[in-house]
Every structure is written in structure tokens, then in C-alpha cells.
């Protein structure tokens, strides 16, 4: 298949495919007429890259998965290098989650302090006395 067809099937652009070729993630094979030629295996590589990128993997992090598929393995994550990328990504995610949990605790503490301060202020402040309201109540009682 040609580059436009592959791009459409993969849900990407021809520019992206050319970039992947430059990075060595996608093979740059040419047909007899000089056009780029791709097959189903290339589409599978692109789908692997796309899934990993959706998970937050950088392009270089996808390389071991692509190489694993190119080596003929049925899955891109069945090679030791791919498993190592998973380990590193999981450690990175765990660190990110821990930082977010810490920030959440801090924000929740600030929120609780702000609510408590607001409630204490509201309890200590007397509403202003409106003389007009009291006078008019007394006047209406006298008229009856």
C-alpha cells in the first residue's frame, strides 16, 4: 500500500509517517516506481506506536516494542527491552501519582482551614442593627 493509504488506515498523516521513517521506527521501502511501499506489518507497527503514545510513552520509548515486532514476535511487549520500558514507565507513573496525592492532601488541608476560618468568622460577627427596622416595628405597635 502507498503512504496515503497507510496514513488513512492508521489514523495519522503522511507527514507523521515520514517523520517515523526518519527516526527509524517505520521502514522506508520503495516500490519499483519509487513510491513508498507498506504492508500490514507496517500498519501493525503504527498501531503499536499509537497505543503506546496514548498511554503517554514518548516515541523513543516505543522503539523496543517496534523492534520486537520487527523481529517477528507476536506482540511488541514480549521482548526483554519492552518489559524494561514498562518497568520504567510504571515507576514514573508511581512517582507522578505520589506527587499528585501529596498535592491533593495539601489542597484539601488548605480547603479545610479556609472553611473553618470562614465558619469561625461568620459565628463571631454580629449582624448590623438596623434602626429603621426596629423603629418601624415599634411605630406599628403603637398605632394599633
Amino acid at each position: 500500500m502507498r503512504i496515503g493509504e497507510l496514513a488513512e488506515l492508521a489514523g495519522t498523516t503522511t507527514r507523521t509517517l515520514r517523520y517515523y521513517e526518519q527516526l527509524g521506527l517505520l521502514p522506508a521501502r520503495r516500490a519499483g516506481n519509487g513510491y513508498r511501499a507498506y504492508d500490514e506489518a507496517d500498519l501493525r507497527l503504527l498501531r503499536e506506536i499509537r497505543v503506546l503514545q496514548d498511554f503517554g510513552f514518548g516515541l523513543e520509548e516505543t522503539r523496543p516494542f517496534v523492534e520486537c515486532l520487527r523481529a517477528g514476535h507476536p506482540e511488541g511487549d514480549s521482548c526483554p527491552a519492552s518489559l524494561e520500558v514498562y518497568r520504567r514507565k510504571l515507576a514514573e507513573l508511581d512517582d507522578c501519582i505520589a506527587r499528585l496525592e501529596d498535592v491533593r492532601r495539601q489542597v484539601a488541608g488548605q480547603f479545610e482551614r479556609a472553611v473553618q476560618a470562614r465558619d469561625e468568622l461568620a459565628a463571631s460577627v454580629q449582624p448590623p442593627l438596623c434602626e429603621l427596622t426596629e423603629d418601624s416595628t415599634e411605630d406599628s405597635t403603637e398605632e394599633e
Side-chain angles (χ1 to χ4, degrees):
M1 74 185 86
R2 291 178 48 184
I3 192 168
E5 185 181 357
L6 179 63
E8 186 176 332
L9 289 172
T12 190
T13 65
T14 57
R15 184 177 180 182
T16 298
L17 298 183
R18 288 186 196 101
Y19 180 63
Y20 290 173
E21 282 182 8
Q22 288 176 359
L23 295 177
L25 293 172
L26 189 64
R29 293 183 305 272
R30 300 281 180 165
N33 59 8
Y35 292 125
R36 288 173 170 86
Y38 301 98
D39 58 23
E40 290 298 318
D42 298 320
L43 180 59
R44 184 150 186 239
L45 291 177
L46 290 172
R47 288 183 175 150
E48 182 83 7
I49 292 169
R50 176 74 112 207
V51 166
L52 292 169
Q53 283 191 304
D54 287 348
F55 289 159
F57 287 66
L59 280 176
E60 279 306 310
E61 291 174 312
T62 69
R63 188 173 300 280
F65 298 86
V66 169
E67 290 172 357
C68 191
L69 286 172
R70 279 192 186 157
H73 294 273
E75 299 295 330
D77 59 5
S78 59
C79 297
S82 303
L83 297 175
E84 183 55 36
V85 172
Y86 275 152
R87 280 187 197 93
R88 282 195 312 266
K89 184 57 78 173
L90 285 169
E92 180 183 310
L93 290 169
D94 288 342
D95 182 54
C96 185
I97 289 167
R99 286 190 317 241
L100 286 171
E101 286 174 341
D102 184 49
V103 169
R104 189 194 187 292
R105 277 191 297 278
Q106 291 177 31
V107 170
Q110 286 295 108
F111 173 73
E112 292 299 322
R113 283 188 287 282
V115 167
Q116 183 178 358
R118 183 205 60 195
D119 292 347
E120 289 172 2
L121 180 63
S124 67
V125 174
Q126 296 293 327
L129 185 59
C130 183
E131 294 175 8
L132 292 176
T133 306
E134 284 190 16
D135 288 341
S136 64
T137 306
E138 290 176 11
D139 291 340
S140 65
T141 309
E142 291 176 10
E143 292 177 10
E144 293 177 12

